[in-house]
Amino acid sequence: MSDFRRDYAFTAPDTRATTHDEYMYAGALSFCRRKYATSLEGADVAVMGVPFDTAVTNRPGTRFGPRAVRAASTNLAWARAWPSAFDPFERLSVVDYGDIWCDHGHPEQVPHDIEAAIAGVLGQGVKTLLIGGDHFTTYPALKAHAAKHGPLALIHFDAHTDTWSDGDGPKRIDHGTMFWHAVHEGLIDPARSIQVGIRTTNDDPLGILIRDAAEVHETPLSETVAAIRNRVGDAPCYLTFDIDCLDPAFAPGTGTPVVGGLTTHQAMTLLRGLAGLDIRGADVVEVSPAYDVGEITALAGATVALQMLCLYAECPA
């Protein structure tokens, strides 16, 4: 008699168990069918959702992003991540650690709560793979990572620089100013940081190297990979991917779409080119399923997140 309770999100014998023989269309919506965990004992990476979207300047809805990305990720769990030569889940113990609690009734407390939750995971020697949520969530993530590792190089895929000045008034909870704060607070080292796919105007890059979408389109992808690797070098780095880095044809489900962006092929090729860099933290953000079509944005976000796990598996010891 078959076991009708064989849902590996709950019953996997260990966190490296294969899920390739599970249904893609049924079961709990954990990331890539990884086991839900209440303990991080033995874990290498904790996948965590950050369902927060009240820092957006245009269309809200990314609070539903973590759920959508998890659902789309089940399409990726049936076989080894292509074209990887290895299965990251055989090299890493990866758990789904659920979502970070954000109390919408106390928005001023949300940045601290996100930072504290991530710091608690890092304090146990476990890396995080974060699924947003709007891009502001990267700011408290950077604070937690910089507190542990010191100033980080930033590898930032986006249509927007998110380094617009916040001025001299009270700090804003805004997904367009958080890297301005990150530079001024010493969370990231602009001399080792790079932004890829940018296609909006910002006359003050704060010392961060920008390789905009036109450069990516007009030169071989190997040149952009080389630019990233040369900029970062051997520095510990944080990798953040705003899904609106992709052209709206490939990612319509986002709050601030901008035409002329990267294709999914370009993005995945660039990410694969980062193998071996010292990536300490990573996130994919700004998936907004209310504006999606056929879940293609959520699938793109899930595929980016899975590639980030492959990069984790190839980080230097």
Side-chain angles (χ1 to χ4, degrees):
M1 180 177 179
S2 62
D3 184 359
F4 69 93
R5 296 176 62 248
R6 194 197 71 186
D7 188 333
Y8 288 151
F10 303 109
T11 65
D14 59 67
T15 55
R16 296 175 188 255
T18 180
T19 62
H20 299 336
D21 58 344
E22 282 200 300
Y23 296 131
M24 292 185 287
Y25 54 83
L29 297 180
S30 62
F31 181 77
C32 280
R33 311 294 293 129
R34 291 297 96 193
K35 191 170 186 177
Y36 274 113
T38 57
S39 168
L40 294 176
E41 183 177 357
D44 297 310
V45 181
V47 179
M48 304 168 71
V50 194
F52 174 77
D53 67 1
T54 57
V56 298
T57 53
N58 194 29
R59 304 186 300 193
T62 57
R63 68 182 61 187
F64 301 105
R67 182 182 296 173
V69 170
R70 284 188 174 101
S73 76
T74 62
N75 291 283
L76 307 174
W78 66 274
R80 189 179 75 231
W82 182 89
S84 175
F86 62 89
D87 188 336
F89 300 118
E90 293 179 355
R91 294 190 179 187
L92 298 170
S93 173
V94 180
V95 300
D96 194 317
Y97 206 44
D99 287 349
I100 295 173
W101 173 253
C102 302
D103 189 343
H104 66 277
H106 292 283
E108 73 288 345
Q109 185 67 21
V110 168
H112 173 269
D113 291 342
I114 296 173
E115 179 185 353
I118 296 169
V121 174
L122 299 178
Q124 298 183 61
V126 178
K127 288 186 175 181
T128 60
L129 174 57
L130 305 174
I131 304 171
D134 69 50
H135 211 164
F136 173 81
T137 59
T138 300
Y139 173 64
L142 281 172
K143 292 185 73 172
H145 283 82
K148 181 176 177 63
H149 303 297
L152 297 156
L154 181 70
I155 305 172
H156 174 199
F157 289 83
D158 206 326
H160 313 86
T161 63
D162 298 335
T163 54
W164 285 278
S165 171
D166 212 1
D168 298 324
K171 184 182 297 185
R172 293 168 57 84
I173 299 176
D174 188 320
H175 73 163
T177 64
M178 67 282 181
F179 295 137
W180 184 88
H181 288 292
V183 170
H184 284 85
E185 295 174 19
L187 306 180
I188 61 176
D189 178 1
R192 307 298 291 272
S193 298
I194 185 169
Q195 297 176 319
V196 179
I198 303 301
R199 50 197 187 277
T200 47
T201 301
N202 188 341
D203 293 328
D204 184 4
L206 301 180
I208 299 172
L209 179 64
I210 293 177
R211 194 168 183 90
D212 64 21
E215 290 179 277
V216 175
H217 291 315
E218 294 168 6
T219 60
L221 293 177
S222 58
E223 292 188 14
T224 298
V225 169
I228 298 171
R229 300 186 71 94
N230 290 339
R231 186 69 169 181
V232 173
D234 60 358
C237 57
Y238 190 96
L239 172 60
T240 181
F241 195 106
D242 186 325
I243 206 67
D244 72 26
C245 182
L246 302 177
D247 188 85
F250 300 91
T254 191
T256 314
V258 184
V259 301
L262 275 59
T263 68
T264 47
H265 163 71
Q266 288 173 312
M268 297 310 298
T269 300
L270 295 176
L271 287 171
R272 289 196 296 271
L274 307 184
L277 293 182
D278 188 8
I279 299 171
R280 303 295 179 92
D283 64 51
V284 56
V285 297
E286 297 285 358
V287 172
S288 194
Y291 313 107
D292 207 358
V293 178
E295 299 182 329
I296 61 173
T297 311
L299 180 60
T303 307
V304 167
L306 181 56
Q307 182 58 50
M308 288 174 170
L309 286 176
C310 290
L311 293 176
Y312 271 156
E314 296 182 280
C315 285

